Amino acid sequence: MDTELDRILSEITGRGFRLTRVRRAVVEVFLQRGLPLSAADVIAALRPGNSSINKTTIYRELAFLEERGIIKEIRFLHERVKRYELAGGEHHHHLICVKCRKVEDIVLEGDLEEEEQRILESTGFRVLNHSLEFVGLCQGCR
Ligand SMILES: [Zn+2]
Ligand SMILES: [Zn+2]
């Protein structure tokens, strides 16, 4: 995990951006949680150790990291809140529990490349991306 942290931090500094304490802390939260987080999640994660953390600063950091492609926005169908996760990971989808709202990453074995190929062949439509989320009950809520 530290090597991943180092990679992301050097990506930030390598492009000439400052590595502020808050910026580093936000990246660390995403790495530690490894899940899509809302701004409120990030603020809650940082608050205990740092009560002086300002909400506006966090929103600004999230916008900064998103613009630089360090994190990406994820919006789930059933949610109004915007979430983010680290960009550049393995292509995956999400399992969303309707009861406790927990979100888990899932990597599909075949993913949808074959389906995309089939779509291209049968309709001539070239798929560039897809969005797929699994909604249900997590193990703890079943
Ligand atoms: Zn659940
Ligand atoms: Zn994810």
Side-chain angles (χ1 to χ4, degrees), residues 9-85:
L9 297 182
S10 58
E11 200 179 319
I12 294 170
T13 54
R15 287 196 256 160
F17 299 111
R18 284 197 311 141
L19 192 59
T20 60
R21 198 166 47 86
V22 175
R23 187 159 293 164
R24 186 194 168 97
V26 170
V27 171
E28 280 175 338
V29 168
F30 278 102
L31 270 174
Q32 282 159 9
R33 296 294 175 89
L35 290 172
L37 302 173
S38 64
D41 293 334
V42 174
I43 291 163
L46 292 175
R47 272 273 164 86
N50 198 339
S51 54
S52 64
I53 269 180
N54 183 295
K55 280 188 186 183
T56 317
T57 309
I58 300 300
Y59 281 104
R60 217 187 303 130
E61 274 313 317
L62 292 172
F64 172 90
L65 293 169
E66 188 191 2
E67 278 166 32
R68 272 82 193 170
I70 308 287
I71 59 175
K72 63 182 176 190
E73 184 187 319
I74 300 181
R75 256 179 213 275
F76 294 125
L77 288 176
H78 66 292
E79 280 190 334
R80 287 225 186 99
V81 58
K82 214 198 283 188
R83 293 182 187 243
Y84 302 91
E85 73 178 357

Side-chain angles (χ1 to χ4, degrees), residues 98-126:
V98 291
K99 210 161 158 191
C100 73
R101 300 285 173 189
K102 191 170 78 174
V103 178
E104 294 172 65
D105 282 354
I106 183 86
V107 175
L108 300 185
E109 279 185 19
D111 211 278
L112 298 172
E113 281 152 25
E114 273 180 37
E115 287 301 324
E116 292 179 355
Q117 189 58 34
R118 218 191 329 257
I119 290 168
L120 178 63
E121 281 159 18
S122 63
T123 70
F125 184 92
R126 181 177 298 282

Side-chain angles (χ1 to χ4, degrees), residues 97 100 138 141:
C97 178
C100 73
C138 75
C141 292

